Amino acid sequence: MTLDLEFDLVPFASAQADLVSSWAPTAAEVRSWCARTEAPVPPDVIAQWSTAGDVEAFLLRDGDAPVAYGELWLDDEEGEVELARLLVAPDRRGQGVGRALTSLLADAARRHHPDLPTVCLRVLPENTAGHRAYEAAGFRFVDPDTEAAWNEGQSTQYRWMVQPKP
């Protein structure tokens, strides 16, 4: 499937938090999306995420329709930008939207934060759809030693991926 060139990554506005909240109504979807147990995530929580000083939140639009949500987490200390809380609207899953969101977020990270050389993300081991989308966007799993180090102190053992510099 080819990517639709009409996709546009735009800054997230808190007025869209209700919509984003509706995209993950079950506990399993919420856990996969943001590692929380409460379902759905309350819109005010989503709106608060986007106001943190080290977070840049975005919506992916197809034309005028919002189809996905994602964040960039900036970590100057570690020299990295982490793609986080990636979520695709239920009716758009399996259509390459996750791949487009991941690619466009990684491009934004490299363009707006060239001083942070590592672009990475974490994913639950069982999220095979996410694995495929992220690999299609150019991300690769880190080696087991790096993964073990990055998982130290995490409440969940994630699979970690990085996107090599182009």
Side-chain angles (χ1 to χ4, degrees), residues 30-83:
V30 167
R31 180 176 185 279
S32 183
W33 171 36
C34 61
R36 291 175 57 99
T37 56
E38 177 186 6
V41 176
D44 63 311
V45 170
I46 297 167
Q48 285 177 322
W49 289 342
S50 68
T51 64
D54 57 352
V55 173
E56 296 175 359
F58 296 91
L59 277 181
L60 183 70
R61 293 187 316 194
D62 185 1
D64 290 333
V67 295
Y69 172 87
E71 298 172 354
L72 299 179
W73 292 357
L74 312 175
D75 189 336
D76 292 321
E77 212 170 277
E78 296 292 329
E80 67 183 31
V81 179
E82 182 177 344
L83 278 57

Side-chain angles (χ1 to χ4, degrees), residues 22 126 142 149:
S22 74
E126 63 270 18
V142 300

Side-chain angles (χ1 to χ4, degrees), residues 145-161:
D145 290 337
T146 300
E147 187 164 277
W150 289 2
N151 273 324
E152 277 187 34
Q154 298 289 336
S155 59
T156 299
Q157 295 299 293
Y158 294 101
R159 296 295 317 274
W160 289 84
M161 302 179 83

Side-chain angles (χ1 to χ4, degrees), residues 3 6 42 57 59 74 77 85 87 92 100 106 118 130 157:
L3 294 180
E6 295 299 313
L59 277 181
L74 312 175
E77 212 170 277
R85 298 186 182 126
L87 181 65
R92 295 302 302 267
T118 301
Q157 295 299 293

